[in-house]
Amino acid sequence: MKIEQHDIIRLTQNDSRVQKAVFERLYPILLSMAKRYSGDDMMAEDAVTTAFIIAFKNVDELRSTNPNSFFAWLKKIVINQVLSDLRKNKKYVELDIEYEATGETDDTILSQIQSKQLLTLIDKLPVNIKTVFLLFVVEDYTHSEISAMLNISESNSKVLLHRAKNTLKNWIQKENNLTQKQNG
Amino acid sequence: MDNWKAHIKSTFEEIDSANNVSASELNSKWRIVEAGIAKKKNKILWIYSGGIAAALVCIILLALVNRNNSKIIQNIVQTKSEQKKIVKENQLYKKNNSEASKQEFLPFQKQLIKNTDTNTSEKIVTINPIQHKIDSNNTPIVTETITAKISTRTKKPKRNSVFLSNNSKKSSENKVAQNPKIKLSDLIDLDKNGRHANAQREDRNIIKH
């Protein structure tokens, strides 16, 4: 983490110098994350700046001075902002989710994915499937938390995650087959 | 944690931390954030200043109301004491009706202020008891005026009695001459012999003598 505990204390005192320093350190990280969720650079930029304004305005409400909890709180604000912007722009469409078996599957292929490949494939996913996948895998949210955030049921959250994994696996498999053919 | 999950998470974290933003972009975005924070501060300032202003207005209003009330009470007390004084002084004036006391006390000056209600005969009259009372240093003591509501009877106007002088009789005759449709008896109180009431009265006086 690039920020210290005393920074958080000074943030609660509305110290503008510290606010600027924290902004400069965390803006690039949060912008990258926001782009992943929204798939739109402009929307991501707006969401991150709005999130910083909200965070600095309400930093007094933060009970802990732990930098990790501050960063997690800030990330949550950014994600909520992106999701609300997506809903406003009607980019987040609720899917009619049919029941799917969400049992244990072989996910070893997912652990072989490389960063470039991962980014391109994640961008291809439909917004709601991608959101559930990112919230569960990257942000470590539980299905109950995801269901509360996205206003869906827990089972729907599980189904969407299962669908995301299967789609990614299929795409990785196809790409691997293509590269093997090209090499062979 | 599953391997695939840990792998994807770490991959994304690496991507995020490697993300670079130019200094100019950072500055421009910081200005937006700064403006957003200042908006809130301004809002808070407005709320505080508005509250303080409202409180001040309330305090001033309360002070004014209290001041007026105390003035009214003071006036009531003053007028009552003045009334008592006047009664006493009137009694004194009646008792000491000598020349010396006349010099000392002058009668009340009455002054009509305004007629509040034209339909009634009540009028507000200010009795100005400026009593030119002379103290030991030969300077006049002027007491305050008091306002009293008194009712005055307005005199009813007398009905216009038909009294015709010789001139009026002549004018009536002229009217008849000008307009032959009007009879002279319609205008003048004449008896059955066609004589005027005044002439009858004179006749009666002659008979008495």
PDB file of all heavy atoms in Angstrom, chain B residues 175-188:
ATOM      1  N   LYS B 175     -92.282  82.331  -9.910  1.00  0.00           N
ATOM      2  CA  LYS B 175     -92.208  80.943 -10.419  1.00  0.00           C
ATOM      3  C   LYS B 175     -93.512  80.524 -11.067  1.00  0.00           C
ATOM      4  O   LYS B 175     -93.533  79.897 -12.124  1.00  0.00           O
ATOM      5  CB  LYS B 175     -91.901  79.976  -9.267  1.00  0.00           C
ATOM      6  CG  LYS B 175     -90.415  79.887  -8.950  1.00  0.00           C
ATOM      7  CD  LYS B 175     -90.184  78.876  -7.846  1.00  0.00           C
ATOM      8  CE  LYS B 175     -88.715  78.882  -7.433  1.00  0.00           C
ATOM      9  NZ  LYS B 175     -88.498  78.047  -6.257  1.00  0.00           N
ATOM     10  N   VAL B 176     -94.631  80.909 -10.405  1.00  0.00           N
ATOM     11  CA  VAL B 176     -95.959  80.556 -10.938  1.00  0.00           C
ATOM     12  C   VAL B 176     -96.180  81.257 -12.267  1.00  0.00           C
ATOM     13  O   VAL B 176     -96.701  80.664 -13.214  1.00  0.00           O
ATOM     14  CB  VAL B 176     -97.059  80.925  -9.915  1.00  0.00           C
ATOM     15  CG1 VAL B 176     -98.448  80.706 -10.505  1.00  0.00           C
ATOM     16  CG2 VAL B 176     -96.888  80.079  -8.666  1.00  0.00           C
ATOM     17  N   ALA B 177     -95.734  82.520 -12.324  1.00  0.00           N
ATOM     18  CA  ALA B 177     -95.895  83.275 -13.560  1.00  0.00           C
ATOM     19  C   ALA B 177     -95.106  82.639 -14.698  1.00  0.00           C
ATOM     20  O   ALA B 177     -95.579  82.555 -15.825  1.00  0.00           O
ATOM     21  CB  ALA B 177     -95.437  84.718 -13.355  1.00  0.00           C
ATOM     22  N   GLN B 178     -93.892  82.162 -14.305  1.00  0.00           N
ATOM     23  CA  GLN B 178     -93.065  81.511 -15.348  1.00  0.00           C
ATOM     24  C   GLN B 178     -93.639  80.177 -15.793  1.00  0.00           C
ATOM     25  O   GLN B 178     -93.580  79.811 -16.961  1.00  0.00           O
ATOM     26  CB  GLN B 178     -91.644  81.296 -14.812  1.00  0.00           C
ATOM     27  CG  GLN B 178     -90.819  82.559 -14.820  1.00  0.00           C
ATOM     28  CD  GLN B 178     -89.542  82.422 -14.008  1.00  0.00           C
ATOM     29  OE1 GLN B 178     -89.236  81.358 -13.519  1.00  0.00           O
ATOM     30  NE2 GLN B 178     -88.843  83.541 -13.852  1.00  0.00           N
ATOM     31  N   ASN B 179     -94.163  79.415 -14.818  1.00  0.00           N
ATOM     32  CA  ASN B 179     -94.732  78.099 -15.129  1.00  0.00           C
ATOM     33  C   ASN B 179     -96.192  78.078 -14.688  1.00  0.00           C
ATOM     34  O   ASN B 179     -96.486  77.870 -13.505  1.00  0.00           O
ATOM     35  CB  ASN B 179     -93.906  77.020 -14.404  1.00  0.00           C
ATOM     36  CG  ASN B 179     -94.245  75.627 -14.906  1.00  0.00           C
ATOM     37  OD1 ASN B 179     -95.144  75.462 -15.729  1.00  0.00           O
ATOM     38  ND2 ASN B 179     -93.525  74.654 -14.396  1.00  0.00           N
ATOM     39  N   PRO B 180     -97.125  78.294 -15.605  1.00  0.00           N
ATOM     40  CA  PRO B 180     -98.542  78.403 -15.222  1.00  0.00           C
ATOM     41  C   PRO B 180     -99.130  77.095 -14.667  1.00  0.00           C
ATOM     42  O   PRO B 180    -100.184  77.110 -14.048  1.00  0.00           O
ATOM     43  CB  PRO B 180     -99.227  78.818 -16.511  1.00  0.00           C
ATOM     44  CG  PRO B 180     -98.283  78.498 -17.591  1.00  0.00           C
ATOM     45  CD  PRO B 180     -96.916  78.513 -17.022  1.00  0.00           C
ATOM     46  N   LYS B 181     -98.441  75.980 -14.851  1.00  0.00           N
ATOM     47  CA  LYS B 181     -98.980  74.693 -14.351  1.00  0.00           C
ATOM     48  C   LYS B 181     -98.910  74.629 -12.820  1.00  0.00           C
ATOM     49  O   LYS B 181     -99.636  73.882 -12.179  1.00  0.00           O
ATOM     50  CB  LYS B 181     -98.202  73.534 -14.951  1.00  0.00           C
ATOM     51  CG  LYS B 181     -98.599  73.255 -16.384  1.00  0.00           C
ATOM     52  CD  LYS B 181     -97.838  72.080 -16.946  1.00  0.00           C
ATOM     53  CE  LYS B 181     -98.229  71.869 -18.402  1.00  0.00           C
ATOM     54  NZ  LYS B 181     -97.444  70.780 -18.992  1.00  0.00           N
ATOM     55  N   ILE B 182     -97.930  75.354 -12.209  1.00  0.00           N
ATOM     56  CA  ILE B 182     -97.781  75.326 -10.749  1.00  0.00           C
ATOM     57  C   ILE B 182     -98.761  76.316 -10.138  1.00  0.00           C
ATOM     58  O   ILE B 182     -98.859  77.471 -10.558  1.00  0.00           O
ATOM     59  CB  ILE B 182     -96.337  75.724 -10.351  1.00  0.00           C
ATOM     60  CG1 ILE B 182     -95.340  74.735 -10.965  1.00  0.00           C
ATOM     61  CG2 ILE B 182     -96.176  75.761  -8.830  1.00  0.00           C
ATOM     62  CD1 ILE B 182     -93.901  75.167 -10.842  1.00  0.00           C
ATOM     63  N   LYS B 183     -99.494  75.797  -9.119  1.00  0.00           N
ATOM     64  CA  LYS B 183    -100.421  76.694  -8.424  1.00  0.00           C
ATOM     65  C   LYS B 183     -99.681  77.364  -7.290  1.00  0.00           C
ATOM     66  O   LYS B 183     -98.786  76.763  -6.684  1.00  0.00           O
ATOM     67  CB  LYS B 183    -101.600  75.892  -7.877  1.00  0.00           C
ATOM     68  CG  LYS B 183    -102.525  75.378  -8.947  1.00  0.00           C
ATOM     69  CD  LYS B 183    -103.623  74.535  -8.321  1.00  0.00           C
ATOM     70  CE  LYS B 183    -104.541  73.960  -9.397  1.00  0.00           C
ATOM     71  NZ  LYS B 183    -105.553  73.078  -8.801  1.00  0.00           N
ATOM     72  N   LEU B 184    -100.084  78.566  -6.978  1.00  0.00           N
ATOM     73  CA  LEU B 184     -99.445  79.325  -5.897  1.00  0.00           C
ATOM     74  C   LEU B 184     -99.670  78.637  -4.550  1.00  0.00           C
ATOM     75  O   LEU B 184     -98.778  78.607  -3.688  1.00  0.00           O
ATOM     76  CB  LEU B 184     -99.993  80.758  -5.885  1.00  0.00           C
ATOM     77  CG  LEU B 184     -99.272  81.749  -4.979  1.00  0.00           C
ATOM     78  CD1 LEU B 184     -97.832  81.930  -5.434  1.00  0.00           C
ATOM     79  CD2 LEU B 184     -99.985  83.087  -4.954  1.00  0.00           C
ATOM     80  N   SER B 185    -100.865  78.041  -4.378  1.00  0.00           N
ATOM     81  CA  SER B 185    -101.194  77.351  -3.119  1.00  0.00           C
ATOM     82  C   SER B 185    -100.275  76.150  -2.881  1.00  0.00           C
ATOM     83  O   SER B 185    -100.093  75.715  -1.749  1.00  0.00           O
ATOM     84  CB  SER B 185    -102.648  76.899  -3.127  1.00  0.00           C
ATOM     85  OG  SER B 185    -102.839  76.031  -4.225  1.00  0.00           O
ATOM     86  N   ASP B 186     -99.689  75.590  -3.984  1.00  0.00           N
ATOM     87  CA  ASP B 186     -98.749  74.463  -3.840  1.00  0.00           C
ATOM     88  C   ASP B 186     -97.476  74.925  -3.175  1.00  0.00           C
ATOM     89  O   ASP B 186     -96.806  74.167  -2.491  1.00  0.00           O
ATOM     90  CB  ASP B 186     -98.410  73.842  -5.204  1.00  0.00           C
ATOM     91  CG  ASP B 186     -99.609  73.141  -5.791  1.00  0.00           C
ATOM     92  OD1 ASP B 186    -100.511  72.750  -5.014  1.00  0.00           O
ATOM     93  OD2 ASP B 186     -99.647  72.991  -7.022  1.00  0.00           O
ATOM     94  N   LEU B 187     -97.109  76.163  -3.387  1.00  0.00           N
ATOM     95  CA  LEU B 187     -95.836  76.658  -2.889  1.00  0.00           C
ATOM     96  C   LEU B 187     -95.976  77.373  -1.546  1.00  0.00           C
ATOM     97  O   LEU B 187     -95.104  77.276  -0.695  1.00  0.00           O
ATOM     98  CB  LEU B 187     -95.206  77.634  -3.899  1.00  0.00           C
ATOM     99  CG  LEU B 187     -94.801  77.022  -5.231  1.00  0.00           C
ATOM    100  CD1 LEU B 187     -94.533  78.117  -6.240  1.00  0.00           C
ATOM    101  CD2 LEU B 187     -93.571  76.158  -5.047  1.00  0.00           C
ATOM    102  N   ILE B 188     -97.067  78.072  -1.327  1.00  0.00           N
ATOM    103  CA  ILE B 188     -97.236  78.885  -0.113  1.00  0.00           C
ATOM    104  C   ILE B 188     -98.376  78.310   0.727  1.00  0.00           C
ATOM    105  O   ILE B 188     -99.361  77.816   0.196  1.00  0.00           O
ATOM    106  CB  ILE B 188     -97.554  80.353  -0.466  1.00  0.00           C
ATOM    107  CG1 ILE B 188     -96.528  80.882  -1.492  1.00  0.00           C
ATOM    108  CG2 ILE B 188     -97.555  81.238   0.770  1.00  0.00           C
ATOM    109  CD1 ILE B 188     -96.933  82.160  -2.142  1.00  0.00           C
TER     110      ILE B 188
END
